[in-house]
Amino acid sequence: HVSFFVQPDLARASTASGFANTHVMTMRDAYGDWNFDKDKEFRFRAGLQRVPCSFDNYQASRVRMAIDRADATNSCASSERDMGLSFMWTPKVAQQRFKQMLDYMNGPGDYGVFNVTVYNGQGLNQVETNSDKHVGVRAAWPFELPGGRLMEVGVNAMRGVFTVNNGTCANGFTSICGLNESRSSSARGYQDERVNFYVYYPPQPWGFIAEYVTGRGPKRGADGIVRESHLNGGYVQGHYQWKYSDVGLANIYTRWQEYHGGIKFQTSAADGRMSELETGIAWQPDPQWEFTLAYAYANRLNTFNTTPNVIAGAVTTPGQQLESQGNLLRFQAIWFWN
């Protein structure tokens, strides 16, 4: 009735509070499950875990075709995780379908047909900065279509108060920083709420994913003031799985994504407006290896620098973020220890 999952992070610069400029071991997951019944349909989870946010955020890197998560769906939770308490319900038939999609069809696994989670809300390995707790809810169902094909449809919703780090406005205000509405750089809390809808049709051998998110959250304006504002965005991805041998396969995908809103966990909740087209191939010559080659064309606002606002020869406030375009060709190799 009890199980544990622990996953340390040894591969990247730490985002732990107080250790921003060092490399230390941090935790990605550290939680325990208590199953109420022998069929494991009802679960209680406590600890550092993924929170209800989007399908894209539940899908682990080892099963996701695209190298990065979509900006719109990933903007709701830093590193997809937080410290919290969850209750999940998954009937036996849904457990079997979730497992089938996880084993063979790039699915995320079983995070509940119904899931309600109460969590801190400031993100992975970050100190909670206000007394408000975020609440996230997920409702999903894995359908079995004629011919045995599977499809998952669901909705995620979350609400809470998020404290934005405005940074330090210095050096002529050319680096990203923000001011609150009283024109002070003091951090403050903003309403953080969104609803996400998704549909996932696994590669059988053709398939697609589509997600859309809408809500409100903090965003830095062109005048450097951070305000609550509307956000929306999403992505659509088509994919095809080519099984050319008993062990070898290749997933070919194309994804279009857009986002209009702030990135709350970046300094001053920088405006993350963007659009991107990505296409690639994820090749698994055997179950232990995956090699991904991906090309993307991106158009987005620069979230690190601004043009200062100058009035009468004097720099007065942080300025506008610059638009940027880029062509990216990336290669990734993953070794599965399974």
Side-chain angles (χ1 to χ4, degrees):
H1 290 278
V2 176
S3 60
F4 298 92
F5 185 81
V6 176
Q7 181 179 204
D9 185 354
L10 298 170
R12 68 188 182 99
S14 171
T15 57
S17 297
F19 294 94
N21 298 315
T22 63
H23 288 72
V24 298
M25 185 178 77
T26 58
M27 300 307 299
R28 298 290 285 179
D29 298 276
Y31 60 80
D33 280 355
W34 174 31
N35 299 286
F36 295 2
D37 59 317
K38 64 179 182 179
D39 290 330
K40 300 183 178 181
E41 293 188 347
F42 299 90
R43 284 178 289 161
F44 177 76
R45 176 172 293 179
L48 187 62
Q49 58 183 291
R50 294 178 188 264
V51 298
C53 190
S54 70
F55 176 88
D56 198 34
N57 281 27
Y58 276 130
Q59 197 174 34
S61 300
R62 65 158 292 171
V63 298
R64 190 179 63 250
M65 297 180 196
I67 293 178
D68 290 330
R69 291 178 175 84
D71 285 47
T73 52
N74 194 228
S75 66
C76 61
S78 176
S79 298
E80 303 84 52
R81 298 160 171 87
D82 213 320
M83 186 69 70
L85 304 172
S86 299
F87 171 79
M88 305 180 202
W89 170 65
T90 312
K92 199 69 175 178
V93 62
Q95 291 181 36
Q96 296 167 352
R97 293 173 186 173
F98 282 140
K99 186 177 188 306
Q100 184 178 345
M101 285 194 286
L102 175 65
D103 290 344
Y104 307 107
M105 302 176 182
N106 299 77
D110 180 7
Y111 289 93
V113 164
F114 175 76
N115 178 328
V116 57
T117 303
V118 179
Y119 59 101
N120 283 341
Q122 286 299 125
L124 178 68
N125 294 322
Q126 297 297 314
V127 173
E128 175 66 349
T129 56
N130 56 63
S131 59
D132 181 88
K133 299 301 178 189
H134 277 58
V135 178
V137 178
R138 158 187 159 95
W141 186 257
F143 293 92
E144 184 172 343
L145 305 178
R149 290 179 169 84
L150 298 177
M151 181 177 70
E152 182 178 339
V153 177
V155 58
N156 297 276
M158 50 83 73
R159 190 174 192 274
V161 174
F162 186 86
T163 302
V164 173
N165 176 12
N166 284 328
T168 302
C169 292
N171 301 322
F173 299 114
T174 55
S175 60
I176 283 289
C177 64
L179 305 172
N180 57 39
E181 293 188 57
S182 63
R183 309 191 79 80
S184 165
S185 61
S186 299
R188 56 153 289 192
Y190 296 84
Q191 195 66 49
D192 180 25
E193 55 188 15
R194 56 193 75 199
V195 179
N196 159 266
F197 305 92
Y198 74 88
V199 56
Y200 174 54
Y201 187 73
Q204 302 170 109
W206 294 95
F208 67 91
I209 315 174
E211 289 201 68
Y212 175 75
V213 61
T214 183
R216 291 187 63 81
K219 185 182 76 171
R220 181 190 185 278
D223 57 0
I225 306 297
V226 181
R227 302 179 178 88
E228 291 177 8
S229 64
H230 176 70
L231 61 87
N232 69 88
Y235 69 94
V236 59
Q237 173 182 305
H239 43 244
Y240 173 78
Q241 187 174 89
W242 174 36
K243 293 186 177 180
Y244 60 87
S245 72
D246 291 341
V247 296
L249 61 86
N251 287 305
I252 304 163
Y253 71 92
T254 298
R255 181 180 71 180
W256 170 260
Q257 61 163 315
E258 285 191 5
Y259 180 53
H260 304 273
I263 306 177
K264 65 184 182 184
F265 43 80
Q266 286 198 0
T267 301
S268 77
D271 190 344
R273 188 173 77 245
M274 59 82 66
S275 61
E276 181 181 273
L277 176 65
E278 177 179 338
T279 187
I281 179 169
W283 172 44
Q284 292 184 20
D286 63 51
Q288 274 67 53
W289 287 96
E290 181 179 82
F291 303 95
T292 301
L293 179 67
Y295 164 77
Y297 172 75
N299 186 323
R300 61 179 65 229
L301 291 182
N302 190 311
T303 58
F304 299 99
N305 293 286
T306 70
T307 57
N309 284 329
V310 180
I311 299 177
V315 177
T316 58
T317 61
Q320 295 183 349
Q321 296 172 223
L322 301 175
E323 287 196 15
S324 58
Q325 295 83 36
N327 293 276
L328 295 87
L329 184 64
R330 295 190 291 174
F331 176 77
Q332 175 178 272
I334 298 178
W335 176 52
F336 302 136
W337 193 338
N338 55 8

